[in-house]
Amino acid sequence: MEQTNYVNLAGDKWHKGSSQTAKTRMKLRVIPLFILLAGFQLMPEIRAQTNTNVLVAFTTTNPAPLNLGFAGYTTELLGKGEEYGDTNLQYYASMLQPGWLLFPAGSTGDAFNWQTGFTDPAWVTNLGLSSGPNNSASNLCAGTILPLIGKGGVWFTNFAAMAQNLGGAKIIVCINGFTDTNYADAGAFAAFALSNHIHVAAWELCNEPYLFYATNEFFTNGLDYATKMLPYYNSIKAADPNAVVAVFFSDPARPGMSWDNTLSSYPNPYWNAAVWHYYPALPTNVSFADLMAIDNGNLCSNTTMYVTNVLIANNPPNATFLLTEFAPGAASSSGTVNPPTGTLYGGIYGAEMVMRLSTCSRMSFAGSYQLVDAAGVGTTNDFKSAATRAANNGYLTNTAGLPFGYFLSAQGLGQSVAYWAINRSTAVYNTTVGTNCPTVPMDTNDLTTMPAIYAVACQGGNGKRYVLLTNKGTNCVPVQVTQDCTALTNEFLETFVTDTNPAVVNSNPPANNVTLQTNMVSNPVMIPGYSVVRLEWTVTNVPPPILAVTASSVIQDLSWTGLTNIVYSVQGKTNLFGSWTTLGRVANTTTNFGFTNWNNGSQQFYRLTVP
């Protein structure tokens, strides 16, 4: 249940220019749970199972801070029929629990003009003249021209509205520094966001620029990239001095370190964040078991160690880090599945990737590619053809009512189990897994192994605690959870996904799909094979905060006094019979949430909820 209260601004209770403490009102709301209850069966064990419980231990002293909205998704709809305002899409996307979304896209945004809402054909041509040998970005961008014309373009304000409707997801923006050579446009974008009260959590400078470096390419090397991006950085910071602006380090799967080495040699680095993408290079014509083994090794070697050995070692001391695209293999797009991307194991991999990175110092965001596809919300038809047909025949189409056949992918469901807790938490606890844990291979020859179970405990910003676990093996593993060296005796609400086949994918209609399952359990907990599991329990009941408003002719500040380490969702609506819109999430003891030009609009009601 949620405890909320609200204040009414303007109308007969509030008057322009007044300042007073609002009366508070508390009510209870029931949160619907999207749950399917089902049993599961486990395959015969292929490894010896321990006869004793595996200890998952965490300590509540000195938790590591966790950035609010840590786990999210890149959103790439430029070349598809789907639109940001599609409420059916938003319904399914909300179940993925995104803490952030990225605008406008990945490679399809390399010729996108945010001011017009369209892909510029001249920019596509320019991109094709300077695309590296391993890059098909110009073709991808060319494929967005007609769909965008048919949809009437895509707009940042509509994207921001979608982010609000998905629980107040934060926004990351990727600047097109390839073909939009007027660096002042980046500053204009930052100024536009500020004037429209849209908070951008981070700005990326170009998408995967390391794909465009060589003689006669956009960039000679990483050093040249940093030099050419400085005017874009200065333009953004001039408009928004508090902006977080990130330069790109290379994909760890790409051979060599020449890009990173030259980038880190830039004298007096100006950036305050670094971003990277990770798509492991997997062999073809191998078994799914081999793909899992290789990816298990990637989880071990290219997560926390990459942050420490590459990012922390080669960036300014206060820089933060973002992983805004990853997949367990090749990215899936246009409805295709590229195993293990899109599978149940893909969900295990994605959940564990984010869980591991949540423990890293200075990590601010991590998330997968992408929101609408095999790793997130799947579709049976993206209706690109409908938007293209509209463009060819000179009319605009609204595709929101078309039967896209939305469903949640197996990977997306697996990730959502972890995202739910991570995006409601303010810190992570030091967590260990006992040495008697069963193991899984980390290579195709079965020469090296790692624990099948990975676990991390989180300090919820809602009065709860969470323990997240992944099981990369086929065995069911008995786990004993201890807090500060004492076995917990309370019951846990267990939410999980599992299947005997790690290669399973979801489809529509949902025949034999992976589904969310729930149960009430207590220590020791049996962790199913091939699963992502969330255990949660209430530590303290969160009382409603005390709200107050200060209003002037220029700005309206909504403020409150609450508890430490509590996450609040700020919501508003124009009348009590309408729908609440989430304006953002905050995690402070006392917060001022400001709105400009408030007195030019209609009466507003605001409330705080604990997500």
Side-chain angles (χ1 to χ4, degrees):
M1 311 239 350
E2 279 185 350
Q3 291 183 320
T4 67
N5 58 32
Y6 54 82
V7 291
N8 172 17
L9 303 184
D12 56 356
K13 294 185 179 180
W14 281 101
H15 302 280
K16 299 175 183 178
S18 66
S19 175
Q20 55 181 316
T21 301
K23 296 180 180 179
T24 61
R25 188 177 302 171
M26 183 178 73
K27 67 177 184 176
L28 298 177
R29 266 195 322 132
V30 177
I31 307 173
L33 295 177
F34 300 96
I35 295 169
L36 291 177
L37 298 177
F40 59 86
Q41 293 179 332
L42 297 174
M43 294 176 61
E45 296 175 0
I46 60 174
R47 291 183 180 276
Q49 180 172 313
T50 175
N51 291 321
T52 59
N53 299 327
V54 174
L55 189 66
V56 170
F58 70 93
T59 57
T60 58
T61 55
N62 300 318
L66 181 63
N67 190 48
L68 189 61
F70 183 85
Y73 284 90
T74 289
T75 306
E76 189 158 6
L77 300 184
L78 303 187
K80 296 173 175 285
E82 297 92 344
E83 300 189 47
Y84 300 138
D86 187 334
T87 55
N88 198 22
L89 170 60
Q90 292 178 10
Y91 168 78
Y92 282 89
S94 66
M95 289 188 276
L96 295 176
Q97 303 297 314
W100 58 263
L101 299 173
L102 184 142
F103 178 89
S107 294
T108 58
D110 291 349
F112 178 74
N113 187 333
W114 72 271
Q115 297 182 92
T116 67
F118 297 99
T119 296
D120 190 318
W123 290 0
V124 174
T125 300
N126 186 27
L127 190 69
L129 295 175
S130 299
S131 59
N134 298 317
N135 190 12
S136 59
S138 59
N139 292 332
L140 292 172
C141 290
T144 70
I145 295 175
L146 291 178
L148 285 174
I149 292 174
K151 292 190 294 185
V154 300
W155 308 100
F156 183 56
T157 50
N158 292 340
F159 176 86
M162 178 183 70
Q164 281 193 347
N165 291 338
L166 298 187
K170 293 186 178 182
I171 292 172
I172 300 173
V173 171
C174 187
I175 289 292
N176 172 16
F178 295 116
T179 51
D180 187 351
T181 57
N182 181 10
Y183 59 81
D185 288 345
F189 201 158
F192 178 84
L194 286 175
S195 65
N196 284 274
H197 321 302
I198 301 171
H199 175 66
V200 175
W203 302 82
E204 298 178 355
L205 297 177
C206 294
N207 175 72
E208 300 175 352
Y210 47 82
L211 297 179
F212 297 88
Y213 86 98
T215 304
N216 298 322
E217 303 295 342
F218 281 108
F219 311 110
T220 304
N221 52 33
L223 175 62
D224 183 49
Y225 157 74
T227 302
K228 290 177 177 175
M229 290 299 103
L230 178 59
Y232 292 85
Y233 171 89
N234 286 336
S235 185
I236 293 171
K237 293 291 281 187
D240 181 4
N242 297 317
V244 174
V245 187
V247 298
F248 255 96
F249 275 66
S250 186
D251 186 327
R254 293 184 64 80
M257 291 282 293
S258 60
W259 176 271
D260 293 345
N261 290 339
T262 56
L263 175 58
S264 60
S265 71
Y266 186 89
N268 300 317
Y270 53 83
W271 55 89
N272 53 9
V275 59
W276 85 104
H277 293 169
Y278 181 38
Y279 294 97
L282 300 179
T284 58
N285 300 319
V286 298
S287 68
F288 194 85
D290 282 346
L291 294 177
M292 289 195 299
I294 296 170
D295 266 342
N296 289 340
N298 290 330
L299 284 170
C300 183
S301 61
N302 281 322
T303 53
T304 57
M305 285 193 288
Y306 178 79
V307 173
T308 300
N309 297 337
V310 176
L311 297 179
I312 291 180
N314 294 290
N315 278 282
N318 294 322
T320 57
F321 308 123
L322 308 80
L323 174 63
T324 53
E325 283 188 27
F326 73 81
S332 293
S333 60
S334 302
T336 61
V337 175
N338 297 319
T341 304
T343 66
L344 171 60
Y345 176 80
I348 297 168
Y349 176 97
E352 185 166 325
M353 173 71 74
V354 171
M355 288 161 59
R356 286 177 178 266
L357 291 174
S358 72
T359 68
C360 292
S361 172
R362 293 157 54 186
M363 276 295 303
S364 57
F365 299 107
S368 66
Y369 182 94
Q370 73 140 327
L371 184 74
V372 184
D373 238 315
V377 178
T379 62
T380 55
N381 190 337
D382 70 2
F383 284 102
K384 177 179 179 178
S385 59
T388 300
R389 184 167 56 251
N392 286 330
N393 289 279
Y395 65 89
L396 299 180
T397 182
N398 181 355
T399 66
L402 295 177
F404 289 97
Y406 295 123
F407 63 95
L408 296 184
S409 71
Q411 179 174 332
L413 271 175
Q415 292 173 169
S416 73
V417 173
Y419 282 21
W420 173 283
I422 287 174
N423 289 331
R424 286 166 170 75
S425 296
T426 59
V428 293
Y429 299 117
N430 182 37
T431 310
T432 59
V433 175
T435 58
N436 62 332
C437 183
T439 60
V440 291
M442 295 171 57
D443 61 76
T444 57
N445 295 316
D446 208 9
L447 297 176
T448 56
T449 61
M450 68 189 299
I453 299 290
Y454 181 80
V456 64
C458 301
Q459 176 179 289
N462 49 8
K464 295 185 178 183
R465 286 192 176 131
Y466 300 96
V467 173
L468 300 173
L469 307 102
T470 57
N471 187 351
K472 300 178 288 298
T474 189
N475 290 340
C476 184
V477 179
V479 162
Q480 178 87 5
V481 181
T482 69
Q483 173 184 295
D484 299 325
C485 300
T486 301
L488 291 171
T489 58
N490 55 273
E491 280 197 314
F492 309 112
L493 172 61
E494 178 188 38
T495 304
F496 62 99
V497 294
T498 186
D499 197 272
T500 57
N501 178 13
V504 67
V505 298
N506 282 0
S507 62
N508 192 18
N512 302 315
N513 275 0
V514 174
T515 60
L516 285 180
Q517 303 179 53
T518 63
N519 200 7
M520 294 303 298
V521 296
S522 57
N523 262 326
V525 182
M526 300 300 292
I527 305 302
Y530 300 128
S531 65
V532 184
V533 177
R534 180 177 74 243
L535 305 176
E536 60 184 278
W537 66 102
T538 298
V539 178
T540 181
N541 292 317
V542 180
I546 301 172
L547 280 75
V549 173
T550 301
S552 69
S553 61
V554 178
I555 194 167
Q556 158 189 303
D557 282 329
L558 180 67
S559 62
W560 58 91
T561 301
L563 300 178
T564 58
N565 298 318
I566 295 298
V567 174
Y568 293 110
S569 292
V570 182
Q571 298 181 330
K573 63 181 177 179
T574 56
N575 66 80
L576 289 178
F577 300 101
S579 299
W580 292 100
T581 297
T582 299
L583 307 174
R585 284 183 179 176
V586 288
N588 298 89
T589 305
T590 303
T591 300
N592 291 325
F593 201 88
F595 309 88
T596 57
N597 300 322
W598 68 276
N599 56 338
N600 294 327
S602 58
Q603 168 179 273
Q604 290 285 327
F605 294 88
Y606 295 104
R607 73 175 183 182
L608 300 186
T609 67
V610 179

